[in-house]
């Protein structure tokens, strides 16, 4: 059994070893990294730091107790030269977070409530029947097709919550069964790639709100949630430099006005990203099944649209159906776009990171069905495998935890949270406008000097 300090771990990582630290033990993943279900990048973000809380949050118990033992190479020992008061505070937060997880499990809140999924399935089926019924057998009027478009958007809005849960293995807690559920809901009924979304979402959970690494906030050229994007950052997810080009300089100064319009076309980006992922990514576990699902969606959706009385009405139905999904994307972005993009440092606790970069949206319990429970994003980020329907029951425990360790639990009403996001977008837009104005003035003065 070898003994490592964290500095030794980081030194060996720089030489090419893939070492992660979990529960004061060191694991070497060089020979297995390509088989990691969450992708290579998810592991690489944890190199050189204590990944205990992240690994425990993202993986089922059998992985922790059985699978990881095959990669164990030694123990981590504390180096007194690197210990400091801040590191001790972060470790205390981590220990309290572990106790919180144990408390939640003791209350049975990791158990799935299948009655809730039954009601969600019923809502999806009713919305789907209304959409098909109005298009195939309903009166061929504008309002009939508008209503069908609302039903279509509502079907996608509700089904995406269940697809999200399937990605986190929250439904059956069996990766195979949940993958099938996810592909059915995402690929076959929605035309989106569940594999792409899962890869994207895993990285988002691990490295939340980091401008260089979190794909969920890398929205150039249309949106920039921090002025850091002005500097041509390299995206580790997309493996390319995000150029802050002329197009970005047109859109970003007015992004707070365009925000909701951009969300209206966000689903089109999801289609494109999914196709690119399936065609180019080296690690797609169910590539053929995903392609089959997307082809099936294109077939049945095109056939359904063919029943609409005119091409103009058909186009209106498609555009409106997709635009109305902006409700879903608004919910997704509100919890993060207005939060910190600062670097918390290599020793920041997982719980501290998630609570710094995520906010919850306050609403009455009777509105939970509309938000899908994902208005509790901070709670979801603390416990990614916790069934969505139990978030409200967990909230008092999280508030108590935050008070205990001195972390802030951000929660705001729907209107205020929109205001927070728009303010961030406006502030970044104003910064860019000021920079461009100064640059223009300097260029003008330089031309005057040249002429003189």
């Amino acid at each position: 059994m070898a003994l490592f300090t964290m500095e030794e771990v980081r030194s060996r990582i720089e030489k090419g070893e893939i070492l992660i630290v979990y529960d004061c033990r060191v694991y070497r993943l060089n020979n297995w990294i390509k088989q990691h279900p969450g992708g290579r990048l998810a592991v690489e973000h944890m190199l050189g730091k204590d990944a205990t809380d992240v690994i425990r949050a993202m993986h089922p118990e059998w992985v922790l107790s059985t699978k990881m033992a095959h990669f164990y190479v030694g123990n981590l020992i504390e180096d007194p030269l690197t210990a400091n008061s801040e590191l001790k505070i972060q470790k205390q937060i981590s220990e309290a977070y572990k106790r919180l997880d144990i408390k939640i499990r003791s209350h049975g809140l990791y158990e799935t409530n299948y009655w809730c999924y039954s009601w969600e399935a019923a809502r999806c089926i009713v919305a789907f029947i209304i959409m098909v019924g109005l298009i195939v057998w309903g009166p061929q009027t504008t309002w009939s097709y508008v209503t069908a478009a609302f039903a279509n958007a509502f079907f996608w809005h509700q089904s995406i919550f269940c697809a999200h849960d399937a990605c986190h293995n929250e439904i059956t807690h069996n990766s195979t069964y949940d993958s099938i559920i996810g592909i059915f809901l995402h690929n076959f009924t929605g035309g989106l790639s569940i594999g792409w979304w899962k890869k994207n979402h895993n990285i988002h959970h691990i490295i939340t709100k980091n401008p260089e690494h979190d794909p969920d906030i890398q929205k150039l050229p249309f949106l920039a949630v921090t002025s850091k994007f002005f500097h041509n950052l390299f995206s580790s997810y997309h493996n390319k430099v995000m150029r802050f080009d002329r197009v970005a300089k047109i859109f970003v100064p007015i992004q707070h006005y365009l925000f909701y319009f951009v969300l209206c076309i966000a689903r089109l980006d999801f289609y494109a990203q999914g196709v690119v992922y399936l065609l180019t990514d080296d690690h797609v576990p169910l590539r053929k099944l995903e392609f089959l699902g997307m082809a099936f969606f294109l077939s049945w959706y095109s056939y359904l649209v063919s029943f609409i009385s005119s091409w103009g009405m058909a186009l209106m139905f498609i555009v409106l159906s997709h635009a109305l999904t902006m409700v879903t994307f608004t919910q997704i972005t509100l919890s993060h776009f207005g939060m910190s993009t600062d670097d918390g440092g290599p020793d920041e606790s997982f719980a501290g990171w998630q609570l710094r970069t995520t906010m919850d949206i306050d609403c009455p319990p009777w509105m939970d069905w509309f938000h899908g429970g994902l208005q509790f994003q901070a709670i979801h980020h603390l416990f990614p495998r916790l069934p969505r329907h139990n978030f409200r029951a967990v909230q008092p425990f999280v508030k108590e935890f935050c008070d205990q360790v001195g972390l802030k639990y951000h929660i705001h009403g729907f209107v205020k949270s929109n205001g927070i996001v728009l303010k961030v977008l406006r502030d970044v837009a104003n910064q860019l406008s000021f920079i461009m104005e100064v640059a223009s003035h300097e260029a003008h003065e330089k031309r005057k000097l040249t002429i003189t």
Side-chain angles (χ1 to χ4, degrees), residues 160 182-183 185-197 267-272 274-275 278 290 293-294 297 329:
I160 203 170
I183 288 176
L185 293 173
H186 232 51
N187 297 67
F188 280 78
T189 69
L192 306 175
S193 167
I194 196 70
W196 164 78
W197 190 84
R267 191 175 179 90
L268 302 181
D269 179 58
F270 273 42
Y271 289 140
V275 171
L278 292 177
E290 287 212 52
M294 294 172 78
F297 165 78
F329 294 107

Side-chain angles (χ1 to χ4, degrees), residues 219-224 247-248 251-252 255 258 262 265:
K219 302 303 179 183
L220 290 179
F222 300 109
L223 301 172
V247 179
F251 286 110
V252 172
Q255 63 179 358
L258 297 177
V262 171
I265 60 175

Side-chain angles (χ1 to χ4, degrees), residues 238-295:
H238 296 290
N239 195 32
K240 66 179 183 179
V241 175
M242 296 178 288
R243 298 291 180 188
F244 198 79
D245 54 18
R246 292 181 179 180
V247 179
K249 291 177 181 178
I250 294 173
F251 286 110
V252 172
I254 55 173
Q255 63 179 358
H256 46 301
Y257 299 114
L258 297 177
F259 177 58
Y260 297 109
F261 173 77
V262 171
L263 296 183
C264 285
I265 60 175
R267 191 175 179 90
L268 302 181
D269 179 58
F270 273 42
Y271 289 140
Q273 294 276 9
V275 171
V276 171
Y277 164 78
L278 292 177
L279 288 173
T280 63
D281 200 280
D282 294 332
H283 181 73
V284 183
L286 298 170
R287 193 190 308 268
K288 292 182 180 179
L289 184 58
E290 287 212 52
F291 267 128
L292 176 63
M294 294 172 78

